[in-house]
Amino acid sequence: MISLKHKKDCCGCGACYQICPKQCIDMRCDVEGFLYPNVDKRVCVDCHLCEKVCPILHQEKTEDKYLGSILAKNRSDIRLNSSSGGIFGELAKVILSSGGVVFGAAFDNKWMVHHIAIESVQDIPKVMGSKYLQSETQKSFIETKKYLEDGREVLYSGTACQISGLKAFLRKHYDNLYTVDVLCHGVPSPGIWERYLSSISQEYCSDIEAINFRDKISGWHNYSVSIKFCNGDLYSENYEKNKYMNMFLKDLILRPSCYSCKFKKMERKSDLTIGDAWNIENVMPELDDDKGTSICITHTDKGTKILDRIKDSLKMAEIELDTILAEDADSRKPVIMPGGRAYLFFAYRHNANFNALCRTMKNTKKNKLLKKIIRNREN
Ligand SMILES: Cc1cc2nc3c(=O)[nH]c(=O)nc-3n(C[C@H](O)[C@H](O)[C@H](O)COP(=O)(O)OP(=O)(O)OC[C@H]3O[C@@H](n4cnc5c(N)ncnc54)[C@H](O)[C@@H]3O)c2cc1C
Ligand code: SF4
Ligand code: SF4
Ligand code: SF4
């Protein structure tokens, strides 16, 4: 049965939880706000299935199939509501229009994120756009399998570790399954996000109506985090000034597995990898209209096929991977855990509210000392 020695050895993909024939695994929130499997040993029959499907325990060698990379922009309005060039929305459209099913990360009514299945084009906006916290896969691998066995086309999108978990769970190749992963910096703690939501709702004395992590109102390069409140108020601030994004981009609130990520390599389980073409302003400035351009990397023939189905809706240009990703090292190798992470989560465990968590980031003498003491204690 699954028994984790170190937190870093679990990316939270949920494959073990979903495969267990005795349903004796549940995903429980830890003291940092991330989910981990917990086994009811009284019910476990030691079948080892949970270990077999774990993408961290079993790192199968994947053929390094790099079939090319492109820069792409959706010609339609989908792009404005997407994080970068709007490739994902178009892929979703083509699958749904031919009777398929699409899985992606969506907000729930408490503004937490989990994977959902959609079956109609009207629902595409729910799964579009990056949500910068870990998405719960819940029972989406089981549902995916059911749709595949029914002969429907399925497009499943997520982080590279989620796609690896899904493929391990399925344990079989399906011609009707398409997978897309994102170039992934890492996933922040849903627990920290919850504290942020509570703080901003209190500040605006209102519930939330809509959230956009990547609002292009001031341009794509200089994107804003926007939150619409039910009382009609709007919060919109540049990503560098937003306190939650600041914690995320300083790598302070990522899942432990993200600091030793084994999935960021270019040999991937997915058919396509999508990301932000940030370096376009240096590489092909003539294409950069500051409304969002994606990079799309093809790993398999199925990836080539599905890209071919949407090519008329995209403006595309071939590009060398090393050139376009030159400035985005974090998407190809794990980030380094900063010294202040342990102190911030120490405060989180002791019920600090979001503003108090922000204070742990200040460069004061007291904080430096506390950071050192807590880090030494936890090592
Ligand atoms: C947590 C996270 C970290 C990222 N880090 C980088 C990075 O370092 N460098 C880079 O170039 N790009 C990164 N991206 C990808 C980037 O933000 C865009 O998602 C990508 O460029 C695709 O944009 P799009 O316009 O084609 O489609 P969009 O419509 O923006 O597509 C977003 C896709 O991401 C999925 N998704 C959204 N939130 C989550 C989540 N929490 N967990 C799993 N899947 C999710 C959606 O289901 C959808 O498939 C990251 C995305 C996420 C979610
Ligand atoms: S060993 Fe089998 S029964 Fe036990 S937790 Fe794992 S999958 Fe479930
Ligand atoms: S990585 Fe996935 S399969 Fe492995 S223990 Fe964690 S949740 Fe389970
Ligand atoms: S950085 Fe790696 S482990 Fe973390 S969410 Fe992304 S793919 Fe998964």
Side-chain angles (χ1 to χ4, degrees):
M1 93 190 76
I2 284 287
S3 150
L4 296 168
K5 281 203 188 79
H6 307 285
K7 290 275 165 80
K8 71 176 172 52
D9 296 334
C10 172
C11 62
C13 69
C16 55
Y17 153 72
Q18 298 184 65
I19 200 84
C20 177
K22 303 302 284 181
Q23 277 132 45
C24 63
I25 303 180
D26 63 329
M27 296 297 284
R28 285 199 191 161
C29 194
D30 80 337
V31 290
E32 294 186 342
F34 292 105
L35 293 177
Y36 290 88
N38 176 69
V39 180
D40 182 345
K41 293 184 186 125
R42 293 164 310 173
V43 186
C44 169
V45 290
D46 256 332
C47 68
H48 303 291
L49 265 179
C50 50
E51 296 149 53
K52 284 185 191 144
V53 300
C54 177
I56 291 197
L57 278 179
H58 294 284
Q59 293 272 319
E60 267 174 57
K61 182 119 184 61
T62 313
E63 219 182 307
D64 183 2
K65 252 187 142 189
Y66 166 69
L67 301 184
S69 47
I70 53 161
L71 292 176
K73 293 196 271 197
N74 198 314
R75 293 180 192 275
S76 80
D77 284 352
I78 286 184
R79 182 158 69 115
L80 280 186
N81 301 316
S82 305
S83 302
S84 54
I87 296 193
F88 172 71
E90 202 58 42
L91 291 169
K93 207 163 117 190
V94 82
I95 292 290
L96 293 171
S97 309
S98 45
V101 185
V102 173
F103 284 84
F107 286 116
D108 64 16
N109 56 7
K110 291 190 172 138
W111 300 102
M112 302 308 285
V113 175
H114 58 95
H115 269 64
I116 61 162
I118 60 159
E119 295 188 62
S120 93
V121 172
Q122 284 79 1
D123 285 335
I124 294 177
K126 291 185 187 165
V127 287
M128 266 166 44
S130 297
K131 286 104 184 165
Y132 293 122
L133 59 141
Q134 183 157 36
S135 173
E136 266 187 64
T137 56
Q138 298 185 332
K139 301 231 166 154
S140 58
F141 297 174
I142 299 173
E143 290 168 45
T144 299
K145 185 170 178 181
K146 195 177 155 299
Y147 286 121
L148 290 170
E149 301 274 320
D150 286 348
R152 310 257 308 259
E153 274 192 329
V154 175
L155 170 68
Y156 194 104
S157 69
T159 56
C161 57
Q162 288 170 335
I163 301 300
S164 294
L166 169 68
K167 291 282 179 88
F169 170 90
L170 292 172
R171 290 180 297 159
K172 189 175 144 191
H173 174 87
Y174 288 90
D175 273 341
N176 47 338
L177 172 67
Y178 297 91
T179 53
V180 180
D181 58 17
V182 289
L183 279 178
C184 181
H185 187 93
V187 282
S189 156
I192 303 271
W193 170 245
E194 221 170 2
R195 297 250 168 113
Y196 174 73
L197 286 179
S198 143
S199 151
I200 194 130
S201 302
Q202 267 173 32
E203 195 183 322
Y204 281 80
C205 304
S206 173
D207 288 336
I208 291 167
E209 194 182 297
I211 298 178
N212 187 351
F213 275 101
R214 297 284 299 268
D215 194 338
K216 297 176 180 173
I217 189 142
S218 313
W220 167 62
H221 286 283
N222 213 15
Y223 64 90
S224 306
V225 176
S226 295
I227 303 180
K228 234 165 128 180
F229 291 92
C230 298
N231 63 6
D233 283 352
L234 174 73
Y235 159 86
S236 188
E237 201 170 27
N238 177 273
Y239 75 99
E240 284 182 312
K241 293 202 179 120
N242 176 271
K243 290 177 182 161
Y244 176 80
M245 286 303 281
N246 204 256
M247 283 180 184
F248 167 42
L249 295 171
K250 285 193 169 137
D251 306 329
L252 281 160
I253 53 173
L254 304 182
R255 189 174 175 103
S257 57
C258 299
Y259 301 99
S260 55
C261 177
K262 300 184 169 60
F263 305 94
K264 282 187 179 183
K265 54 197 177 196
M266 275 305 129
E267 312 89 75
R268 298 211 174 196
K269 298 276 179 184
S270 61
D271 298 307
L272 296 172
T273 297
I274 52 176
D276 293 283
W278 293 129
N279 202 22
I280 188 174
E281 57 186 343
N282 301 316
V283 179
M284 282 193 195
E286 66 283 6
L287 279 193
D288 185 15
D289 57 4
D290 202 20
K291 290 185 182 141
T293 306
S294 295
I295 172 164
C296 179
I297 306 161
T298 308
H299 304 288
T300 64
D301 295 334
K302 258 201 283 175
T304 309
K305 264 190 217 154
I306 191 166
L307 255 190
D308 206 48
R309 283 164 73 181
I310 63 167
K311 69 173 190 300
D312 291 343
S313 309
L314 305 177
K315 228 180 187 173
M316 302 189 288
E318 281 181 25
I319 188 82
E320 279 294 318
L321 199 58
D322 287 334
T323 320
I324 195 67
L325 290 182
E327 308 266 303
D328 192 7
D330 291 350
S331 60
R332 290 204 278 181
K333 62 175 174 42
V335 296
I336 294 167
M337 188 183 289
R341 186 187 184 280
Y343 180 30
L344 193 150
F345 276 104
F346 175 84
Y348 173 80
R349 283 202 297 277
H350 289 83
N351 289 326
N353 64 24
F354 189 76
N355 287 331
L357 295 178
C358 291
R359 286 198 291 278
T360 66
M361 293 166 69
K362 288 205 168 131
N363 215 5
T364 60
K365 262 191 189 164
K366 185 179 152 205
N367 274 355
K368 275 187 197 158
L369 183 68
L370 282 169
K371 265 185 211 169
K372 212 167 158 188
I373 295 171
I374 290 163
R375 208 172 53 216
N376 289 342
R377 216 172 64 177
E378 296 197 355
N379 278 339

